[in-house]
Amino acid sequence: LAFTMEGAEGGGTVSIENATWRPTRWTFSDGAENMVVELSGEVALGEIRVPARIEQIGRQGERAVVEIADVRAADAKDASMLAPDLSAPRDTRFDAGVPARLEVKRAPTGHLLVHPLVNGQDVGWFIFDTGAGANVLSTSAQEALGLETFGDLPAVGVGGTTRTAFLRPETLTLGCATFERPLMIQLDLAFLTPHMGVEVGGIVGYSVLARTISEVDLARAEISIHDPATYRRVDEHWAELIVKDRVPCVKASFEGHEGWFRIDTGANSSVTIHEPAVRRLGLLEGRETSDTKLGGVGGFVPAKAGVLAWFELGGTRVDGVRAGFATEAKGAFAESRTIGNIGTKLLEPFVLVLDYPHGRIAFVPREAATE
């Protein structure tokens, strides 16, 4: 059977075994990359049949296998395990005696750098990056701390995919917040040093942002983080925030189109439109553009540079916005469930309040921002 996904680009197939009418293989494509799930064997519980082996091949070629040896009926206590755990993470503590405002340095590229401690040690400056789906520790910092890595996973960046591994330091402390046994990934970040002007020890990403409320003033290079349990702010600038692939997304509009965009403080551009949206909406037709490249983890990919007539974000409309248009279905900008990526140039007119725990974001105009 072939199927398409309502409201999203792409579709796939389901292969069904004629003798049993059970699915044996699912494929899915988002227009750029493919995913496969294969089911084989069976484990029985009365009339219920469960696959004995489930193998998933991910969009970037990663492979995961689940093997099931036994199945039993669940009781009420077991069923409670299936309910979502909406309680606050228990691996984070806040020190009320430490100021909420962080030590921040602006890199020559415009990125904001913060200065956490890993296992109580200074291992350099970290990029504060809402576009990072995980906290990252550089290879040099990992080796200096003597941390062991485990597992294997693909890290998807603008330029494509690179293989990496997990690690778990004992603590990560950023300002008033300390995270115990945080899961991080290891990446070689040496290529960033010439651009940032300092050795980059890592990246602060989703795992920190999801456990705190962050106020970010990109124009003044100021960041503060707060305990979600005690944070109070009343203003009219809140908008819905959803998290896709561990990256915050908001609704925005441009040239008569509206959709979800990623908020990425690790991108020092205005806005980049993802390749599926460029193709689907015909955004290069009749538009004056020039050749450019988009770069990040995984290398560089070709793109086009041009101007959007207007872009509206957080109730503020900006005319004549310079934009990048991804032209290769590769890497992070091949993602089809969001239209594009909003960088710091469009975010600087606001003080951002990122409230992942409550699913909201505030775009406070600079003239309305108060302490």
Side-chain angles (χ1 to χ4, degrees), residues 271 284 287-290 292 304-309 320-325:
V271 61
L284 296 182
R287 191 183 306 273
E288 184 177 338
T289 62
S290 59
T292 187
K304 296 291 185 180
V307 176
L308 295 174
V321 174
R322 293 198 59 79
F325 300 87

Side-chain angles (χ1 to χ4, degrees), residues 105-265:
K105 176 194 290 286
R106 190 190 301 280
T109 57
H111 294 86
L112 299 189
L113 308 177
V114 295
H115 212 179
L117 300 178
V118 181
N119 288 352
Q121 299 186 43
D122 179 357
V123 293
W125 291 90
F126 283 49
I127 301 171
F128 189 87
D129 186 0
T130 60
N135 292 331
V136 177
L137 192 66
S138 70
T139 302
S140 59
Q142 173 257 326
E143 292 173 348
L145 293 170
L147 296 175
E148 293 186 2
T149 61
F150 61 93
D152 177 70
L153 77 156
V156 182
V158 172
T161 304
T162 185
R163 307 303 299 185
T164 184
F166 294 108
L167 50 85
R168 278 194 187 275
E170 291 300 316
T171 60
L172 172 67
T173 300
L174 181 63
C176 61
T178 296
F179 311 90
E180 298 175 355
R181 299 280 295 160
L183 184 66
M184 306 180 74
I185 65 172
Q186 174 213 49
L187 282 176
D188 185 357
L189 301 177
F191 74 97
L192 293 173
T193 299
H195 307 286
M196 299 293 171
V198 294
E199 184 173 354
V200 177
I203 300 172
V204 169
Y206 170 77
S207 298
V208 166
L209 292 160
R211 289 163 168 77
T212 63
I213 294 178
S214 305
E215 294 185 354
V216 184
D217 188 333
L218 290 160
R220 293 184 177 177
E222 295 177 354
I223 301 172
S224 60
I225 60 174
H226 305 267
D227 183 350
T230 59
Y231 183 84
R232 298 290 182 270
R233 184 187 184 100
V234 179
D235 61 42
E236 70 277 17
H237 303 289
W238 291 112
E240 182 183 9
L241 178 147
I242 63 173
V243 177
K244 290 185 176 182
D245 299 325
R246 300 177 300 280
V247 175
C249 301
V250 300
K251 276 192 173 178
S253 58
F254 69 100
E255 296 183 344
H257 306 290
E258 182 183 60
W260 292 97
F261 285 77
R262 295 155 48 109
I263 296 292
D264 187 0
T265 61

Side-chain angles (χ1 to χ4, degrees), residues 11-34:
T13 62
V14 186
S15 300
I16 298 175
E17 187 179 78
N18 290 342
T20 63
W21 299 111
R22 296 177 192 150
T24 59
R25 178 183 172 92
W26 296 72
T27 68
F28 174 74
S29 173
D30 61 5
E33 297 164 337
N34 302 314

Side-chain angles (χ1 to χ4, degrees), residues 22 43-50:
R22 296 177 192 150
V43 181
L45 176 64
E47 295 300 315
I48 298 174
R49 300 290 187 270
V50 176

